[in-house]
Amino acid sequence: MELLKKWLGHPEDIYNLLRFKMGGYRAVMPRIDPDSLGSGLRTCYRYLNQTSRSFAAVIQALDGELRHAVCIFYLVLRALDTIEDDMTINLDVKVPMLHEFHSYLYQPEWKYMESKEKDRQVLEDFPTISMEFRNLSKVYQDVISDICHKMGVGMAEFLEKKVDSQHEWDKYCHYVAGLVGIGLSRLFSASELEDPIVGQDTELANSMGLFLQKTNIIRDYLEDQQEGREFWPREVWSRYAKKLSDLAKPENIDMAVQCLNELITNALHHVPDVLTYLSRLKNQSVFNFCAIPQVMAIATLAACYNNKQVFRGVVKIRKGQAVTLMMDATNIQAVKAIMYQYVEEIYQKIPSTDPSSNKTQQVIATIRAMSLPGGPITSRHHYSPIYLSCAMLLAALSWQYLSTISKATEEYVQAGEN
């Protein structure tokens, strides 16, 4: 019954979960017909679904040939990432592989059969992926190869190097996510679905990636600690603890939350760039593709801000909340309203004694000015009482059925996971 209580506290979630499941998802994530693809592309989309269902869903909503280019881009980077993550590969083998990985795209027979990672199929059948890469227009090949090269070099640099300064944090996030944003932006422009400026303005594209990556790093503190990974910058956490792992100790929770708030404030500085970037997009499928992960990220940061649970377990946004964000974030004004809503939520939680409180207030003021300049706070939800009453009644009668539905929608509502 706890699930029922949660839903009754958020009736708009019930309404949107139903609307989403009954066909609303097709508006933002339509599926392609696999019979329309050649055998190589069908295999690539199968690998895409196996390695990231959520990303597969948003890729399949892209228009035209851009869809295939982004699919191959994702699989190439997934293969590169699998090499980086595989701790069974000695560094004297791994480093040259990362540096040279982009060249394997042009070697029809290259594959790697010794990986122990769960996504090793993208390495074992790399010839299929590289073949489809070579079938892309040269303008797409050039972008993918260039980004793959830069990312491989960056990954190799941080293999034995911890993130110390905030500058290095930005640099690491650039290598693993900012370059993805830059590469995608160049693909958008190359497809001519977007103007050249989208691919040329690398600073804004980089911020798109950094905002998502920093959100993931902040949210995943405990999971990374349990796996022996550290991505929080020493320059920040060393002001609050002797060791990063000390932040998870109950006696250090107050200092841990202050550290958390400082990092969230750092991440919020990318939001103005995100809004500027999104305001330039013209193609609806590209806008949805870019906007959905960004609104998920701001909602996640709002849930994490000043929240002790980050150091005790998993902090997630509700599935119904995620569905609502997906279905709402289809134009720039709606995205601005969403951003405004969640930074306002953060603002209301800022402790007066928090060391970062002034900086947090300042960045929120900037985001407010860009989101709704001079305008009042308005709700994005305008559901009639009869819809809410019906939804609540249906929840009371069939909450167990809806819990099954919510599991089925999970592949769609975590678009920022990769």
Side-chain angles (χ1 to χ4, degrees):
M1 292 300 291
E2 287 303 313
L3 180 62
L4 175 59
K5 291 177 184 177
K6 183 192 299 184
W7 274 335
L8 290 177
H10 301 276
E12 72 280 4
D13 287 1
I14 309 167
Y15 173 70
N16 279 312
L17 274 169
L18 288 170
R19 190 159 63 108
F20 186 82
K21 189 61 180 176
M22 294 173 69
Y25 64 89
R26 295 190 187 95
V28 289
M29 292 182 178
R31 290 190 176 275
I32 59 176
D33 178 12
D35 294 335
S36 66
L37 306 175
S39 61
L41 271 177
R42 279 202 303 273
T43 299
C44 287
Y45 278 101
R46 185 173 78 249
Y47 291 154
L48 183 65
N49 278 285
Q50 290 171 352
T51 54
S52 178
R53 290 183 178 182
S54 59
F55 206 76
V58 291
I59 284 178
Q60 290 178 114
L62 290 169
D63 289 340
E65 62 183 11
L66 176 63
R67 177 189 304 140
H68 302 324
V70 175
C71 172
I72 300 305
F73 185 41
Y74 175 86
L75 291 177
V76 168
L77 297 187
R78 172 60 68 186
L80 179 66
D81 193 53
T82 301
I83 293 291
E84 183 205 21
D85 287 345
D86 194 332
M87 303 305 292
T88 67
I89 305 175
N90 291 329
L91 287 182
D92 57 349
V93 174
K94 183 184 291 190
V95 171
M97 285 181 71
L98 292 174
H99 278 278
E100 298 300 322
F101 198 85
H102 67 289
S103 69
Y104 304 152
L105 293 167
Y106 298 97
Q107 299 178 29
E109 304 302 320
W110 187 90
K111 58 186 175 182
Y112 186 74
M113 304 298 292
E114 299 173 31
S115 176
K116 303 297 187 288
E117 290 292 296
K118 62 181 178 63
D119 294 331
R120 60 185 175 272
Q121 71 266 32
V122 296
L123 293 171
E124 294 173 349
D125 193 19
F126 197 74
T128 297
I129 297 170
S130 68
M131 177 184 69
E132 292 303 327
F133 163 82
R134 293 188 299 276
N135 285 339
L136 295 172
S137 299
K138 186 176 185 301
V139 67
Y140 296 132
Q141 291 184 39
D142 290 346
V143 172
I144 295 171
S145 176
D146 180 52
I147 296 299
C148 183
H149 185 199
K150 291 174 178 174
M151 187 176 291
V153 170
M155 286 177 168
E157 178 182 336
F158 277 91
L159 278 178
E160 294 186 293
K161 175 180 171 182
K162 290 191 175 182
V163 178
D164 286 328
S165 67
Q166 292 185 67
H167 172 74
E168 286 182 334
W169 197 37
D170 282 354
K171 190 176 183 182
Y172 171 77
C173 291
H174 164 73
Y175 282 139
V176 300
L179 282 171
V180 179
I182 291 169
L184 286 169
S185 301
R186 289 170 60 187
L187 292 177
F188 299 155
S189 294
S191 72
E192 299 185 354
L193 293 176
E194 297 296 346
D195 291 337
I197 186 63
V198 172
Q200 292 165 358
D201 196 333
T202 57
E203 185 174 345
L204 293 188
N206 188 58
S207 283
M208 292 283 286
L210 263 61
F211 185 57
L212 299 182
Q213 186 66 21
K214 287 182 178 181
T215 298
N216 289 341
I217 288 173
I218 290 167
R219 177 198 61 197
D220 294 342
Y221 164 83
L222 196 60
E223 178 184 333
D224 286 337
Q225 282 293 302
Q226 292 167 348
E227 296 293 330
R229 301 186 296 258
E230 293 191 354
F231 298 112
W232 284 25
R234 178 186 297 271
E235 180 184 345
V236 175
W237 64 255
S238 62
R239 293 197 290 269
Y240 301 93
K242 291 183 177 180
K243 294 187 297 183
L244 182 56
S245 58
D246 289 345
L247 294 177
K249 296 179 179 179
E251 63 269 25
N252 296 329
I253 191 63
D254 291 338
M255 297 296 280
V257 169
Q258 289 179 5
C259 181
L260 169 70
N261 291 347
E262 182 173 345
L263 290 181
I264 290 176
T265 300
N266 176 294
L268 289 174
H269 281 87
H270 297 293
V271 173
D273 279 355
V274 168
L275 291 174
T276 301
Y277 181 98
L278 293 175
S279 70
R280 290 176 173 171
L281 300 179
K282 296 179 179 180
N283 179 271
Q284 188 65 58
S285 73
V286 172
F287 186 89
N288 293 349
F289 178 91
C290 294
I292 289 171
Q294 301 295 331
V295 296
M296 298 285 191
I298 192 67
T300 299
L301 288 184
C304 289
Y305 185 81
N306 209 48
N307 188 350
K308 298 176 181 179
Q309 187 61 24
V310 172
F311 303 95
R312 297 170 176 166
V314 180
V315 175
K316 287 186 176 181
I317 58 176
R318 304 181 308 277
K319 289 186 178 68
Q321 181 184 5
V323 166
T324 297
L325 290 170
M326 288 171 54
M327 298 184 73
D328 282 1
T330 56
N331 62 78
I332 188 60
Q333 291 306 319
V335 170
K336 286 181 177 181
I338 292 168
M339 292 291 188
Y340 194 109
Q341 172 188 330
Y342 285 109
V343 296
E344 185 65 22
E345 185 177 312
I346 292 172
Y347 183 83
Q348 296 299 327
K349 295 193 290 186
I350 299 175
S352 59
T353 56
D354 191 272
S356 303
S357 60
N358 288 338
K359 290 182 179 179
T360 311
Q361 291 168 1
Q362 288 169 9
V363 70
I364 286 177
T366 301
I367 298 169
R368 281 172 168 169
M370 289 189 69
S371 300
L372 293 175
I377 301 173
T378 56
S379 172
R380 295 181 294 106
H381 306 297
H382 301 287
Y383 306 113
S384 68
I386 190 170
Y387 276 132
L388 293 182
S389 298
C390 290
M392 292 175 71
L393 177 61
L394 185 56
L397 294 173
S398 55
W399 65 273
Q400 189 170 18
Y401 170 68
L402 279 174
S403 68
T404 303
I405 288 178
S406 71
K407 291 178 182 177
T409 63
E410 186 161 355
E411 66 182 82
Y412 297 103
V413 301
Q414 296 174 351
E417 74 169 292
N418 294 295

